[in-house]
Amino acid sequence: MNPIEQGLRAVDRFQQHRRVPAVVIGVVRKYGDDRGGLLSALITYYGFVALIPLLLLLSTVLGFVLHGRPGAQQSVLNSALADFPIIGDQLRQNVHSLQGSGLALAIGALGLLYGALGITQVLQHAMAEVWNVPGVQRPGYWPRLGRGLLLFTVLGAGLVLGTAAASLVGSALGGVPARVGGLLVSALLNTALCLACFRVLTPREIPTRALLPGCAVAGPLFTVLQAFGSLLVTHELRHAGQVYGFFATVIGLLSWLYLAAQITVYAAEANAVLARRLWPRSLLQPPLTAADEKVLSSVARQEERRPEQHVEVSFHDGERPDGAGDDGPRGPSSPDAR
């Protein structure tokens, strides 16, 4: 064993015997096992496809509603929409010149329907992948569509509550206390909204209490992303914006959406790891830990597509020689390995 491998083995032994590092490594490893980067990219794509027509529809509706009404314009500027990265800046600069258009309204509605259906489907797919639900047990199109509509109802209610809470805090306080109070209220509301959305998206057999840890972390992170995401994107693209203009705005929006998607997937992975005690995971193999075997068994069995199909998983000690057959189960070291 060379010195580098010896050092890595020492780090591996250390993290396997410490709860917090072991859980963190377990979440990161499972993110990779479930191809979390690909899931985040899919969520980002469909989120972007849904967001563009949503903004077109929103600007059109606002053009009808706000034209000639300064009070209503100020209410929009004080709402949760104004904190959305990039879009909030555009809204603040152009709210007085918004105009309504029937054609834009129709195009925005159709585009929103297509993108919205896509984002709800891919979010449900991501949760099923995270919890390794076998394909044969996943719901069909119409149940997924019903869940998607319920998700939009929850998100709409969350937006209304967030706007009302921000207005209430702003009217009761002023200056820095109002800003801090608004962030605290936003973190609490985002945590509750995250839990409600996860409950809608996650398979029903997963208890609600198993969704709490990830949401407790994701809610404040979403608040930070909402509050400082615009500043971060503006800072990173301040020079690119002068050269590429609109393209820089699109890149910044995609970056923001990808960060939000990663927070969502990592929060779900944390829930799965904690609920199923999927730690400690090994950094170097062999040997595999019981948690390694449990995760790999679940990943294999989620590929079942038909009731007639049954996937069995077995593990053996050491390296499999070329051309060798299965050595059979390892025994009771992992209840999921057969």
Side-chain angles (χ1 to χ4, degrees), residues 18 24 30 39 41 47 80 90 174 178 191-193 248 273 277 311:
R18 304 295 190 280
V24 172
K30 193 169 187 306
L39 295 177
Q90 299 297 320
T191 300
L193 181 61
V273 168
R277 197 175 175 82
V311 175

Side-chain angles (χ1 to χ4, degrees), residues 168-313:
L168 181 62
V169 173
S171 62
L173 302 172
V176 176
R179 185 61 176 171
V180 174
L183 290 175
L184 292 177
V185 171
S186 177
L188 292 175
L189 289 177
N190 282 339
T191 300
L193 181 61
C194 183
L195 180 61
C197 292
F198 272 38
R199 180 64 283 171
V200 173
L201 296 170
T202 306
R204 295 177 180 176
E205 58 267 23
I206 307 301
T208 302
R209 65 178 180 274
L211 308 178
L212 290 172
C215 294
V217 175
L221 288 178
F222 280 129
T223 300
V224 172
L225 188 62
Q226 181 181 5
F228 302 105
S230 181
L231 295 176
L232 175 63
V233 171
T234 302
H235 174 75
E236 293 297 328
L237 298 177
R238 64 186 185 277
H239 300 302
Q242 300 173 2
V243 179
Y244 299 107
F246 176 75
F247 295 102
T249 300
V250 172
I251 293 172
L253 185 56
L254 284 172
S255 301
W256 189 88
L257 288 172
Y258 187 69
L259 287 175
Q262 284 194 307
I263 291 174
T264 301
V265 176
Y266 267 114
E269 296 286 11
N271 289 333
V273 168
L274 292 172
R276 294 178 173 174
R277 197 175 175 82
L278 300 178
W279 82 86
R281 299 290 301 276
S282 58
L283 294 175
L284 300 175
Q285 300 90 27
L288 295 172
T289 66
D292 288 324
E293 294 182 358
K294 192 172 184 179
V295 171
L296 295 175
S297 298
S298 298
V299 170
R301 282 200 297 275
Q302 80 179 31
E303 298 303 321
E304 293 180 351
R305 293 292 185 266
R306 294 283 305 167
E308 301 88 349
Q309 181 185 11
H310 182 67
V311 175
E312 293 188 357
V313 182

Side-chain angles (χ1 to χ4, degrees), residues 66-237:
L66 303 182
H67 184 67
R69 301 176 63 184
Q73 294 174 0
Q74 189 61 38
S75 297
V76 170
L77 292 177
N78 293 332
S79 71
L81 295 174
D83 288 331
F84 200 93
I86 297 177
I87 305 305
D89 294 336
Q90 299 297 320
L91 186 63
R92 280 187 286 268
Q93 295 171 11
N94 302 297
V95 66
H96 301 291
S97 60
L98 290 173
Q99 300 292 328
S101 168
L103 179 60
L105 184 65
I107 295 175
L110 292 175
L112 177 61
L113 179 63
Y114 171 78
L117 291 177
I119 189 63
T120 59
Q121 297 294 316
V122 76
L123 281 171
Q124 293 180 68
H125 170 74
M127 293 300 170
E129 290 286 305
V130 167
W131 289 95
N132 305 122
V133 179
V136 69
Q137 298 178 14
R138 300 187 185 186
Y141 175 76
W142 294 110
R144 295 199 308 270
L145 180 61
R147 284 190 179 187
L149 295 176
L150 179 58
L151 176 65
F152 282 117
T153 302
V154 171
L155 289 174
L159 179 61
V160 172
L161 288 176
T163 301
S167 300
L168 181 62
V169 173
S171 62
L173 302 172
V176 176
R179 185 61 176 171
V180 174
L183 290 175
L184 292 177
V185 171
S186 177
L188 292 175
L189 289 177
N190 282 339
T191 300
L193 181 61
C194 183
L195 180 61
C197 292
F198 272 38
R199 180 64 283 171
V200 173
L201 296 170
T202 306
R204 295 177 180 176
E205 58 267 23
I206 307 301
T208 302
R209 65 178 180 274
L211 308 178
L212 290 172
C215 294
V217 175
L221 288 178
F222 280 129
T223 300
V224 172
L225 188 62
Q226 181 181 5
F228 302 105
S230 181
L231 295 176
L232 175 63
V233 171
T234 302
H235 174 75
E236 293 297 328
L237 298 177

